[in-house]
Amino acid sequence: MAWWRIRHPLFLFDYTTVKYVVTQNRKVGLLYRIFQLTVMAYLIGWVFIEKKQYQAKDDTVESSVLTKFKGVASVNTTDFKIWGPEDYVYPKQGEDFLFIITNFIETPNQELGNCSEKSSIPDANCTKDEDCIKEEAVRAGNGIKTGLCLKTAGGSDGICEIKGWCPTEKHGKPDKATVLRQAENFTLYIRNFIRFSKFNFSKSNVKLNNSDDYLYLKSCLYDQIVHPYCPIFRLGDIVNKTGRNFQESAIMGGSFGIMIDWSCDLDKEDSHCNPHYSFISLGSNTTGFNFRIAEYSNDAEGKKQRTLYKVFGIHLQIIVFGTARKFNIINTIINIASVLTLMTAGSFLCDIILLYMMKKSTFYRDSKFERIAKNDKESPAKKMPEGPKRKFSL
Ligand SMILES: *[C@@H]1O[C@H](CO)[C@@H](O)[C@H](O)[C@H]1NC(C)=O
C-alpha cells in the first residue's frame, strides 16, 4: 500500500463536505422562504434603514461655548439705576455657566463699625457679656464679636455686638417689586464650536460666510419653527419653554439648561449637520438661585461704604451633546454576518418540523441520515437500485 493511502490518525488530509438533501415538501419549503424573507426584511428595514447599523458612530463631542448677553433694565435700587450686561451677568467672560440677576435684596450704605448681629443667628444669642467671646467670629454670621451682649428691649435675652459691615443685611424674602421686569427681553447669543475627532469633522452653530449671514445674525431671534438655527435666544423664551413662568421664576431665581444636540449623518452633506436646541428646568419651582455681591464706594467724608446685594436670578447651564455617524465597511460586514446567522436558526427549525413532525418524517430521516456500515460490501449505497448513471470527473 502506498504511503498516501494510509489513513492519517488525525485525518489531517481529510476534507469534510456537507451533503444536502433536497425535499419537495411545499409546506416546509414555504415556511423556510417566509423565514428568509423575514430575516431579509429585518436586515434591510430595521438594521440598515431604521438603526443605520452600517455606520460607525462617535458620540464624544468636543465642544467649546462662548456666550454674550444683551439688553438693559431699569433697576429699582436706592439710587435708581440702569443695568446692562456688565452689571447683571456673572461670570463676566461668558462661558457655558451663566447667571443673570433678575431680583435682589439691597442693603445700602454699610460701613465698617460696631453694631448688633442679626437676631436670627443662634451663635450670636446671649444673656451676659461672657457669652460673647471677644475676637471670636460669629458662626454663619456677619462679623467678629466685641465681647458685649446687647440687651434687646423688654427681654432678658440679648444679641452679641459685632465688628463688621453695619448695619447687617436686611431680613426678608425677595420682593416682586424689585424684579428686573425687562430681563425677559434680554437676549443670549451662543457660539458653539464642536468637533467629532473620530471623523475629523468640526462645525459651528454660527454661520458667518458672507454679509447676508451677518445681517441675519443682527436681526434674528430663535424660534423653533421660523428660525430654528438662529443662535440668539430671548431669556423669557428659554424659561417659558421649560413650562415655567418667567416673571414668577425671576422673583426667587432658578436653574435652567439649554441643550444643544448635534446628531449628524456625515454621509450626507455638511449643511445637514445642524444643532437642535431644547430647554429644560434643572431643579424644582421652589429651589431658587442666589448669592451675594457688594459694591464699594466712599461717602462724603471719604469713609469706605458698600451696598450689599443678595441677588436672585436665572442660572443657565449650556449642555452640548451629540452623535456623528458615517458609513463603515467593517460595521456593515459584521451586521450582515450577524443577521445571516439567524438563517441557521430557520434551517434548524425547518429540519425539526421536516424530520420529526410530518407524516413522512421517517422517510425524510432515512434519506438524511445515511448510515454507512463498516464493511464496504454491505454499504447501502451499493445495495441501492441502479439509478441514472452519474459520472464525476475533476
Ligand atoms: C419686551 O419686548 C416686547 C416687544 O419687543 C414688549 O412689548 C414688552 O413690553 C417687553 N417686555 C418688558 C417687560 O419690557
Side-chain angles (χ1 to χ4, degrees), residues 181-182 184-185 234 247:
R181 298 248 156 243
Q182 288 117 331
E184 70 172 357
N185 279 342
R234 199 172 147 266
Q247 293 298 348

Side-chain angles (χ1 to χ4, degrees), residues 222 224 234-246 249 254-259 277-285 314-317:
Y222 172 82
Q224 224 162 333
R234 199 172 147 266
L235 186 58
D237 289 345
I238 294 174
V239 174
N240 292 336
K241 280 201 170 83
T242 66
R244 304 261 300 268
N245 176 284
F246 178 80
S249 303
S255 286
F256 298 89
I258 301 175
M259 323 279 281
Y277 304 98
S278 56
F279 312 92
I280 55 165
S281 166
L282 309 164
S284 71
N285 281 356
I314 307 292
H315 157 225
L316 294 177
Q317 183 75 53

Side-chain angles (χ1 to χ4, degrees), residues 10-132:
L10 290 175
F11 311 119
L12 204 60
F13 306 111
D14 282 1
Y15 172 74
T16 324
T17 182
V18 179
K19 177 180 170 182
Y20 287 94
V21 178
V22 179
T23 65
Q24 284 176 332
N25 187 303
R26 291 217 177 151
K27 281 180 204 155
V28 177
L30 185 69
L31 184 70
Y32 191 59
R33 281 286 165 270
I34 291 174
F35 187 82
Q36 277 180 322
L37 281 177
T38 316
V39 169
M40 288 314 286
Y42 167 74
L43 177 69
I44 294 166
W46 182 256
V47 177
F48 279 180
I49 296 175
E50 176 66 26
K51 289 284 164 192
K52 298 195 190 304
Q53 295 280 319
Y54 58 89
Q55 292 174 317
K57 77 174 182 185
D58 181 4
D59 49 16
T60 47
V61 195
E62 289 143 37
S63 148
S64 79
V65 173
L66 270 172
T67 52
K68 204 172 273 184
F69 254 99
K70 284 205 172 143
V72 287
S74 49
V75 185
N76 215 352
T77 59
T78 39
D79 49 354
F80 200 80
K81 283 189 291 194
I82 299 284
W83 279 4
E86 57 284 2
D87 302 302
Y88 60 72
V89 180
Y90 289 85
K92 306 284 180 196
Q93 65 267 39
E95 302 168 24
D96 52 3
F97 169 96
L98 285 161
F99 177 83
I100 301 95
I101 300 175
T102 54
N103 199 6
F104 56 90
I105 296 173
E106 185 191 24
T107 311
N109 306 329
Q110 286 186 321
E111 288 191 344
L112 275 175
N114 292 355
C115 55
S116 66
E117 177 60 286
K118 251 175 161 174
S119 59
S120 60
I121 295 170
D123 190 39
N125 289 342
C126 60
T127 49
K128 50 190 187 299
D129 286 351
E130 286 74 40
D131 293 339
C132 304

